[in-house]
């Protein structure tokens, strides 16, 4: 079974530039999550999708962050404009629905450095 | 507020020694709790969930409602256990999603 795929693995940009991250979840997983992990901290949930609908985006800084999952499969997370404090690893995870196992399957992450 | 606390950022033990990674929660009722682990250069992955009462790689975790704790334990640590460990309770509601503690970095010395 293929795991969660993310790209790019690394990205370096200057502040005020924009960046986009892509995620392909495990086939058949209806729930998709984006987490932000700042160095030395645990992952923080940014947004959760159920199929192509947003379930929770309460911690997403909507003035600069946006995410979409148009066809209920792949997802993109965009930051525009980036700030220094956005430097972090952006993790995508997916899980199947209807099973309260709570197991999330994570991608390898996209490491963003904002200079 | 619903949250989980991992009081130790770093924990260092010698190989063969017992290890306990602490996790305290501030939920009411009977939360379902999980431990996730991230080995060096690997993805974050599920280690175990309390509801299944399983032992994975020699680790166990018991939910103590009286102390509101879900400590992760292993009687004899191995060097390959060195990793970052996260306690993860769900945010309550119909939509299942996990919030993570800040993590404890376990180092097992030879």
């Amino acid at each position: 079974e293929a795991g969660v795929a993310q790209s790019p693995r690394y990205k370096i940009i200057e502040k005020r530039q924009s960046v986009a991250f892509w995620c392909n979840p495990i086939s058949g997983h209806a729930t998709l999550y984006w987490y932000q992990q700042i160095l030395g901290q645990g992952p923080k949930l940014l947004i959760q999708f159920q199929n192509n609908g947003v379930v929770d985006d309460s911690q997403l800084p909507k003035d600069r962050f946006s995410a979409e999952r148009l066809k209920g499969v792949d997802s993109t997370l965009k930051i525009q404009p980036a700030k220094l404090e956005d430097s972090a690893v952006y993790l995508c995870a997916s899980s199947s629905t209807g099973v309260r196992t709570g197991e999330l399957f994570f991608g390898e992450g996209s490491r963003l450095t904002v200079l | 507020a619903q949250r989980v606390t991992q009081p130790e950022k770093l924990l260092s033990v010698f190989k063969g020694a017992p290890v306990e990674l602490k996790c305290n929660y501030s939920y009411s009722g009977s939360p379902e709790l999980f431990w996730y682990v991230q080995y060096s250069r690997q993805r974050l992955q599920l280690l175990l969930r309390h509801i299944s009462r399983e032992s994975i790689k020699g680790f166990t975790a018991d939910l103590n409602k009286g102390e509101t704790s879900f400590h992760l334990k292993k009687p004899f640590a191995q060097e390959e256990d060195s990793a970052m460990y996260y306690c993860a309770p769900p945010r309550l509601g119909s939509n299942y999603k996990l919030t993570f503690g800040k993590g404890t970095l376990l180092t097992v010395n030879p």
Side-chain angles (χ1 to χ4, degrees):
Chain A
E1 177 180 81
V4 176
Q6 289 188 247
S7 67
R9 290 291 312 279
Y10 305 93
K11 189 73 176 180
I12 301 174
I13 61 173
E14 295 187 349
K15 60 183 179 183
R16 291 188 288 273
Q17 288 186 324
S18 62
V19 63
F21 303 112
W22 172 82
C23 172
N24 188 319
I26 291 174
S27 177
H29 281 192
T31 310
L32 185 147
Y33 311 77
W34 283 102
Y35 283 85
Q36 179 192 58
Q37 186 172 23
I38 294 173
L39 187 64
Q41 300 181 20
K44 169 189 166 186
L45 180 67
L46 292 176
I47 188 167
Q48 178 187 352
F49 292 95
Q50 185 81 8
N51 297 306
N52 60 348
V54 175
V55 170
D56 183 352
D57 62 357
S58 57
Q59 298 192 95
L60 186 72
K62 298 180 185 63
D63 58 334
R64 297 183 301 104
F65 286 65
S66 64
E68 60 183 13
R69 194 184 183 200
L70 292 175
K71 297 182 179 179
V73 181
D74 294 7
S75 176
T76 56
L77 175 71
K78 296 180 182 178
I79 308 174
Q80 181 178 9
K83 292 186 175 181
L84 296 177
E85 58 262 36
D86 298 332
S87 293
V89 177
Y90 291 86
L91 298 170
C92 180
S94 69
S95 66
S96 57
T97 55
V99 179
R100 288 178 61 88
T101 64
E103 181 167 9
L104 269 58
F105 294 85
F106 284 86
E108 294 181 297
S110 295
R111 183 180 296 276
L112 173 66
T113 301
V114 182
L115 303 176
Chain B
Q2 304 161 355
R3 64 171 165 269
V4 63
T5 303
Q6 292 182 253
E8 303 146 325
K9 287 198 71 172
L10 303 170
L11 182 61
S12 181
V13 301
F14 285 102
K15 177 182 174 181
V19 63
E20 180 180 70
L21 294 97
K22 293 182 168 56
C23 173
N24 293 90
Y25 62 91
S26 60
Y27 293 72
S28 59
S30 299
E32 297 179 48
L33 291 163
F34 308 83
W35 278 96
Y36 277 72
V37 61
Q38 188 167 26
Y39 301 101
S40 179
R41 302 183 189 282
Q42 294 188 28
R43 305 175 187 217
L44 190 58
Q45 59 187 283
L46 178 68
L47 178 62
L48 59 79
R49 67 204 80 179
H50 99 271
I51 197 169
S52 62
R53 300 189 180 279
E54 56 198 349
S55 173
I56 303 293
K57 299 184 179 183
F59 284 97
T60 59
D62 291 321
L63 182 65
N64 186 321
K65 294 181 184 178
E67 297 180 358
T68 61
S69 68
F70 186 53
H71 302 330
L72 184 67
K73 301 178 184 179
K74 185 170 182 176
F76 307 102
Q78 302 299 314
E79 290 180 67
E80 55 265 30
D81 296 328
S82 296
M84 194 74 179
Y85 291 81
Y86 295 97
C87 182
R91 287 172 64 179
L92 300 180
S94 60
N95 301 308
Y96 215 68
K97 47 190 176 287
L98 295 184
T99 55
F100 290 86
K102 293 188 176 182
T104 298
L105 179 61
L106 172 66
T107 302
V108 181
N109 300 297

